[in-house]
Amino acid sequence: MGATLRAIRALVLLAGFYLLGVLLLAALAGIDYALYAFDAPSSLAAKLYIVSVLLAIPVVRGMFMLRTPRDEGMHGLHVTEADEPRLWHTVRELAEQVGTRAPAEIVLTGDVNAAVTENARFLGLLPGKRRLYLGVPLMQGLSEAQLRAVLCHELGHYSNSDTRLAAITVRGRAQVLRTIRHFEERAAKTAGRERDRQEKKAAKATAKGKQAREIDTGRAGITYRTMARLYTGYAKLYFRATLAGSRRQEYAADLASARIAGRDATASALREIPALDAAHDFYMQSYATLGAPAGLLPPRGEVFGGFGHLLSARALELAEMRTELPTEPTSPYDSHPPIAERVRRIEALPADGRTDEAKGAALGLLAHPERTLAALEEAVLTEEARALRRTADWQELLDGSMGSRLAGLDSPLHRALAMYTQDTPTLPALLQIIDEGRLWKLAQRLPLSDEAAAANGRAFREFVRPVLRTSLSNMALAKLGSRGLLRWEFSWAEAATVHLPRAADGTEADLDGAVDAAIADVPDTAPLRALLASSRTS
């Protein structure tokens, strides 16, 4: 579908929103006229007139709030041509090959994404300021050829007028959703007032010794909910039509990417992005924000820079992820086609012999990557995050975060022990309970599934043993950590490992074995007590 036909479709859908509003207003006016013409009782007519006005207000507000939502942009680092000459040269060169006007701004972001926007005027009839958003994590994980493919895809949206026509579709979506929200808010307020009224009435009945009626607000706000359903029905039609167009635009942009950057670079970039996205989520949760609860932040430049270390250390895992493309079911409300289908279409294109182009790392397009990564932190991180203490290295971050986590340990076993003893939960108190044969009675205070709560004897012990094992191990680690006897080993390739104090024979203490002995069917705390005692003298 050409840009002209897409523009006409977008305008028709937007006009449909206004037509729906006009029809609803006409219906309300018709009801009011009928009340007047047939001389309805004044009390009933007055109530219905008020209802008509209250229903008309959200409709009118939705129709006449004409401003298209502004592109407020994503948080990021604005880079000029003087800052990043190679990157700007690449973007301009690709824009020329795609056959479109280059963006006026480039903004580096901290997520695995690339996007383009255009502040078009007069509903997209006139072009506007263009902006390219480029995630630095993409540059850390992609080759230069793959990044060029991503950039060609985004610039393809410009050449296909996708960003200009977005002004119409975004406006329509915003206005439909805004109108639905107005009706839902009014329905909620009406239901709330009705609930308050019924609760007061019930309280009075109870005070007089009468049976209070059950609270029922099912009918309150029903007219508002009905209006919301009408607009929701139109919203489904609008979104299905516009998002189907969005999916076609993605296919068209993929073809532009393959034509300019090459088939293999485009397909491999599409394969890479889901793997990078999953790896980045893992990195942010397990590394970058590891020390946040303890008030710690990685060294300057490493909040985003550390992601590159993780990618290098876990290259084999990423290689496996690239071969397993997401196969989520498609929905008419998806804005993008499934990655697997996009890759299939690109790989089905004829070979173009461009397999050896620009294999260097895309991060090399930046003039000073380390400096840019540090500057990106200042642009993206919140003021609260920037106020956290910077550690000297990742090992210090791990030590500080694990020490804080163990010091503030609050496991299910801690809470169960506090309820059981009505006292502060401590490891010595727990060991005493185990020695007295009361461990399984204590375990009944743990949060239990229905199946576990119904079990008895050995079956019950097997249900609760994993929770006991984890909680008791952490309590022992907390005790050792409080004495400064633990050593944590940081790794990019695998999870952090903890090293315990050495036993008398020079071997590392066996905490797992000691904990298993303490929670066995016939518990024995001697190995765990010996480990803790030997650590005091080591």
Side-chain angles (χ1 to χ4, degrees):
M1 184 184 294
T4 302
L5 290 178
R6 286 187 288 122
I8 292 173
R9 183 193 61 183
L11 287 170
V12 168
L13 288 169
L14 182 59
F17 166 77
Y18 288 102
L19 179 60
L20 176 61
V22 169
L23 291 175
L24 290 174
L25 291 175
L28 293 173
I31 293 172
D32 291 344
Y33 177 77
L35 292 171
Y36 172 77
F38 292 100
D39 198 20
S42 58
S43 59
L44 174 63
K47 289 180 180 178
L48 291 178
Y49 289 151
I50 293 173
V51 170
S52 295
V53 171
L54 292 176
L55 290 175
I57 290 173
V59 176
V60 174
R61 289 182 64 184
M63 291 172 64
F64 291 96
M65 292 181 73
L66 300 177
R67 182 176 62 84
T68 303
R70 263 185 88 185
D71 169 31
E72 297 181 352
M74 294 178 277
H75 292 295
L77 177 65
H78 291 250
V79 292
T80 65
E81 195 160 3
D83 297 326
E84 302 295 348
R86 278 200 67 197
L87 177 60
W88 269 96
H89 174 76
T90 299
V91 171
R92 291 188 191 282
E93 174 194 357
L94 293 175
E96 183 177 352
Q97 293 181 43
V98 171
T100 190
R101 176 167 53 93
E105 294 182 2
I106 295 179
V107 183
L108 300 180
T109 68
D111 52 2
V112 183
N113 190 33
V116 288
T117 62
E118 182 172 1
N119 291 328
R121 296 167 292 168
F122 296 104
L123 295 180
L125 298 177
L126 294 179
K129 185 176 184 179
R130 293 179 169 184
R131 185 178 292 129
L132 166 67
Y133 295 97
L134 181 57
V136 170
L138 276 180
M139 303 184 75
Q140 291 171 296
L142 298 180
S143 68
E144 185 177 336
Q146 291 170 329
L147 183 67
R148 290 170 68 90
V150 170
L151 293 173
C152 285
H153 175 97
E154 299 304 329
L155 294 168
H157 285 306
Y158 283 144
S159 67
N160 202 32
S161 300
D162 299 342
T163 52
R164 286 175 58 183
L165 296 178
I168 307 174
T169 55
V170 168
R171 171 176 165 177
R173 292 173 194 166
Q175 289 186 276
V176 174
L177 294 176
R178 184 189 295 126
T179 306
I180 294 171
R181 186 167 59 251
H182 286 326
F183 280 119
E184 289 178 341
E185 288 172 354
R186 286 183 175 272
K189 288 179 181 178
T190 302
R193 287 195 297 268
E194 178 62 17
R195 175 175 291 278
D196 290 342
R197 187 188 69 80
Q198 292 185 28
E199 287 177 347
K200 289 177 182 178
K201 190 174 181 179
K204 289 180 181 179
T206 303
K208 294 178 180 179
K210 298 180 180 179
Q211 180 69 33
R213 291 185 178 181
E214 184 179 351
I215 304 298
D216 180 13
T217 61
R219 294 184 179 181
I222 190 170
T223 51
Y224 291 125
R225 290 198 296 274
T226 300
M227 296 289 279
R229 290 191 189 103
L230 290 173
Y231 276 97
T232 299
Y234 187 75
K236 290 180 178 179
L237 168 66
Y238 194 101
F239 276 66
R240 288 172 72 105
T242 57
L243 292 176
S246 295
R247 292 191 293 275
R248 287 192 293 269
Q249 291 166 12
E250 293 302 317
Y251 286 132
D254 284 344
L255 289 176
S257 177
R259 176 172 58 85
I260 303 300
R263 183 198 68 173
D264 292 347
T266 302
S268 63
L270 287 172
R271 286 185 174 277
E272 193 76 33
I273 289 173
L276 286 178
D277 195 31
H280 189 256
D281 287 345
F282 171 75
Y283 165 75
M284 293 302 295
Q285 181 178 357
S286 302
Y287 287 87
T289 61
L290 174 66
L296 303 174
L297 205 63
R300 191 166 302 279
E302 287 291 283
V303 173
F304 298 109
F307 184 52
H309 305 317
L310 179 80
L311 294 179
S312 298
R314 305 203 181 207
L316 291 178
E317 294 178 46
L318 287 168
E320 294 177 4
M321 294 171 67
R322 293 184 200 109
T323 63
E324 300 175 2
L325 292 173
T327 57
E328 70 279 2
T330 58
S331 163
Y333 303 107
D334 288 337
S335 62
H336 285 61
I339 285 284
E341 175 61 16
R342 293 171 65 186
V343 169
R344 186 193 66 78
R345 290 189 177 209
I346 295 299
E347 292 183 342
L349 295 174
D352 52 22
R354 302 174 60 181
T355 58
D356 297 322
E357 295 183 1
K359 287 193 171 183
L363 200 63
L365 290 175
L366 299 180
H368 302 283
E370 295 80 8
R371 187 175 66 189
T372 301
L373 289 167
L376 182 61
E377 292 178 3
E378 297 300 316
V380 172
L381 297 182
T382 64
E383 185 177 347
E384 293 78 7
R386 294 197 304 271
L388 300 180
R389 183 175 73 82
R390 297 276 187 170
T391 57
D393 53 31
W394 286 94
Q395 183 63 54
E396 182 186 346
L397 181 74
L398 175 63
D399 292 338
S401 60
M402 295 308 298
S404 174
R405 187 173 301 180
L406 290 174
L409 199 61
D410 182 24
S411 68
L413 185 56
H414 278 80
R415 295 187 288 274
L417 183 58
M419 287 191 293
Y420 187 74
T421 63
Q422 297 297 304
D423 201 354
T424 303
T426 63
L427 183 57
L430 175 60
L431 295 179
Q432 181 66 30
I433 286 173
I434 295 174
D435 287 340
E436 294 171 357
R438 294 187 287 152
L439 174 62
W440 309 113
K441 289 185 178 180
L442 167 64
Q444 292 174 353
R445 304 293 183 96
L446 292 168
L448 301 172
S449 65
D450 293 340
E451 192 175 4
N456 293 302
R458 183 177 180 83
F460 173 75
R461 294 195 293 272
E462 292 303 318
F463 271 118
V464 300
R465 211 184 304 274
V467 175
L468 292 174
R469 181 180 293 110
T470 300
S471 297
L472 182 53
S473 295
N474 287 335
M475 291 179 77
L477 288 174
K479 177 66 72 175
L480 295 170
S482 67
R483 299 173 185 162
L485 299 174
L486 297 181
R487 182 173 65 84
W488 294 92
E489 183 178 348
F490 179 83
S491 173
W492 289 111
E494 56 190 10
T497 53
V498 60
H499 296 282
L500 303 171
R502 295 283 175 180
D505 61 358
T507 60
E508 190 170 297
D510 182 12
L511 177 60
D512 291 341
V515 168
D516 284 341
I519 61 173
D521 288 345
V522 181
D524 179 10
T525 63
L528 186 54
R529 289 182 182 277
L531 188 157
L532 295 171
S534 64
S535 68
R536 284 199 290 268
T537 59
S538 61

